């Protein structure tokens, strides 16, 4: 989790809303983006992306 107090990452990654959630893999590559609140953090989409990254 990154707390971006000065909006440095927000600006450099061109986030379009708050909150914005970026899912970043071990290599530093962006693997998923959610703009706004994640409505259902337990959804198959969210869980699937996280579980895939954890297996890498």
């Amino acid at each position: 989790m990154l707390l971006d107090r000065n909006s440095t990452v927000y600006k450099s990654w061109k986030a379009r809303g708050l909150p914005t959630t970026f899912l970043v893999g071990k290599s530093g590559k962006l693997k998923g983006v959610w703009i706004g609140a994640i409505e259902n953090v337990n959804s198959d989409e969210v869980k699937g992306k996280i579980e895939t990254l954890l297996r890498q």
Side-chain angles (χ1 to χ4, degrees):
M1 178 178 276
L2 168 71
L3 183 55
D4 189 22
R5 292 184 191 268
N6 298 320
S7 301
T8 305
V9 175
Y10 179 85
K11 291 173 186 171
S12 67
W13 286 13
K14 299 180 177 127
R16 292 175 276 158
L18 290 177
T20 300
T21 301
F22 295 98
L23 189 57
V24 182
K26 288 180 183 180
S27 67
K29 263 184 110 171
L30 194 59
K31 299 293 184 173
V33 177
W34 287 272
I35 299 170
I38 300 174
E39 294 295 321
N40 184 1
V41 75
N42 292 317
S43 71
D44 290 339
E45 176 192 8
V46 175
K47 288 169 77 176
K49 285 185 180 185
I50 293 171
E51 289 170 356
T52 298
L53 287 174
L54 288 173
R55 287 192 295 269
Q56 294 178 355

